[in-house]
Amino acid sequence: MKRPHLPRRLPVDPYILLLLATVGVAALLPASGTGAAVASGASTAAIAFLFFLYGARLSTREALDGLRHWRLHLTVLACTFLVFPVLGLAARGLVPYVLTQPLYQGLLFLTLVPSTIQSSIAFTSMARGNVPAAICAGSFSSLVGIVLTPLLAAALLGGSGGFSADSLLKIVLQLLVPFLAGQVLRRWIGGFVTRHKKVLGLVDRGSILLVVYTAFSEGMAQGIWHQVSPLRLGALLGVEAALLAAMLCVSWYGARALGFGRADRVAIQFAGSKKSLASGLPMASVLFGAHASLAVLPLMLFHQMQLMVCAVIAKRRAGDEAAGDGAAGEEDEEREQERPSKREQERASEPDRPGVRPHAR
């Protein structure tokens, strides 16, 4: 059996490099005074437009059709909004020895964010899993997260980290209302959004870059880099690696225990173990306000880590599946060759008749 090879080069998302470059620009040239007010207003408008596009893209009919696989979707939702937050709460014991309180709040917020869509689909396809299920699971997670993430943040984060009761109203006005408006207008603008998907995708990413710049500009005014030492960053990476490993195991072996087939388990693992940077960054900006810079740092690091680790796992899953198919074919061929012919079976079953000698040639 051929051993699957690991990728020669671990994938580094170019968008992550852009995000890090944006953080660098904010550190060197932070917005201040009137510029900060303009950047904050532009960021608010960009977030509202971003979720308007989310609503215009999501097909309600496709989402309803996906309900037929409700057990798989409930499993992914349980991983995303139940198991993840429980592990996040368990990490509270690491404060203040491993993590500072602000970094822990960012880590806990990370566990409340919806799952990804694009990367879950890509890795599920690479690993030969149930791609339609991954599409629906990611869409459901994003849709539920618009409402559930702020509610969980209100319950678990309370008034800490800049989160306040007004944040719930902000999330309704800046995220939920634009999303619903996009759903209502989808009948008329859905075709336009589909035809210009690439251009609007650039608008998506540009909006998130603006959010990151605004958040880290405000963080520079608060001295963010004086609060995070290299040692704390290393500790945060170690904690996030343990969190990702735990969720990959829970989603895979938990799905097996629930009786799902291999293709469904692949979709559950990749959709249930990842967190969405695209949804999390705008939400953090709304929920945490001036404290958003430390809140989004754990999410940015976790996002890149999950891409690198899941790329390796998807490659191995694809290799295991191919090797399994090949091994099965070889075993069938060997059994066919070893199986005696029909004539040989008849000869073996004939009783020996006394006095009859084999015909001599």
Side-chain angles (χ1 to χ4, degrees):
M1 181 182 297
K2 293 180 64 178
R3 180 175 297 177
H5 296 287
L6 298 181
R8 295 180 180 178
R9 182 178 59 87
L10 292 177
V12 177
D13 189 358
Y15 192 57
I16 288 291
L17 299 180
L18 282 177
L19 288 171
L20 295 177
T22 303
V23 172
V25 172
L28 297 174
L29 301 170
S32 60
T34 304
V38 172
S40 178
S43 176
T44 300
I47 291 171
F49 183 63
L50 187 65
F51 277 80
F52 174 79
L53 290 178
Y54 287 164
R57 285 174 185 159
L58 181 62
S59 172
T60 307
R61 177 177 297 179
E62 290 177 359
L64 293 177
D65 289 342
L67 286 173
R68 289 178 295 182
H69 212 347
W70 60 271
R71 286 183 66 246
L72 184 145
H73 303 318
L74 285 181
T75 303
V76 172
L77 290 177
C79 290
T80 304
F81 297 112
L82 180 60
V83 181
F84 251 120
V86 168
L87 294 177
L89 290 173
R92 179 67 180 82
L94 301 176
V95 180
Y97 310 105
V98 179
L99 300 177
T100 62
Q101 182 65 21
L103 284 180
Y104 168 70
Q105 290 168 357
L107 180 71
L108 182 56
F109 173 73
L110 151 70
T111 64
L112 310 179
V113 170
S115 177
T116 61
I117 299 178
Q118 289 87 351
S119 58
S120 295
I121 296 170
F123 289 134
T124 300
S125 175
M126 185 188 304
R128 302 182 182 183
N130 190 340
V131 175
I135 295 173
C136 292
S139 300
F140 287 150
S141 180
S142 297
L143 183 60
V144 171
I146 293 176
V147 177
L148 196 54
T149 296
L151 293 178
L152 288 173
L156 301 181
L157 290 171
S160 62
F163 188 89
S164 64
D166 293 339
S167 299
L168 204 55
L169 179 60
K170 289 181 180 179
I171 206 77
V172 170
L173 295 178
Q174 285 188 242
L175 304 186
L176 187 57
V177 170
F179 178 85
L180 293 177
Q183 278 282 283
V184 172
L185 296 177
R186 188 181 187 279
R187 177 179 179 182
W188 294 279
I189 66 174
F192 177 84
V193 171
T194 302
R195 289 193 302 271
H196 299 83
K197 182 168 57 176
K198 291 185 178 180
V199 176
L200 293 176
L202 296 177
V203 174
D204 283 358
R205 294 179 170 238
S207 300
I208 293 174
L209 291 176
L210 179 58
V211 169
V212 171
Y213 175 76
T214 304
F216 277 89
S217 291
E218 294 174 349
M220 287 301 297
Q222 299 173 8
I224 175 179
W225 300 117
H226 296 291
Q227 304 176 41
V228 184
S229 65
L231 184 62
R232 293 290 189 182
L233 278 178
L236 176 62
L237 286 172
V239 172
E240 290 190 338
L243 176 64
L244 179 59
M247 287 308 304
L248 287 169
C249 291
V250 167
S251 56
W252 179 256
Y253 293 106
R256 174 182 292 178
L258 291 173
F260 287 99
R262 181 197 174 278
D264 288 344
R265 293 202 306 272
V266 169
I268 290 171
Q269 183 179 49
F270 289 123
S273 64
K274 293 201 298 302
K275 292 294 182 176
S276 173
L277 186 70
S279 298
L281 289 181
M283 287 184 181
S285 178
V286 175
L287 294 174
F288 292 91
H291 301 271
S293 53
L294 279 179
V296 302
L297 185 60
L299 180 59
M300 290 173 60
L301 296 176
F302 187 84
H303 179 80
Q304 181 58 40
M305 185 183 297
Q306 71 186 11
L307 291 180
M308 296 173 67
V309 173
C310 289
V312 174
I313 293 177
K315 188 75 173 178
R316 291 182 65 89
R317 293 267 183 261
D320 292 343
E321 175 71 3
D325 293 342
E330 291 175 1
E331 291 176 0
D332 292 341
E333 185 178 351
E334 290 177 359
R335 284 196 297 266
E336 188 66 27
Q337 292 176 352
E338 293 174 357
R339 183 180 302 167
S341 65
K342 184 176 180 181
R343 181 57 182 165
E344 291 174 342
Q345 293 177 0
E346 292 177 353
R347 288 177 177 175
S349 61
E350 288 180 357
D352 292 335
R353 289 180 293 175
V356 178
R357 306 175 80 181
H359 178 66
R361 295 184 180 178

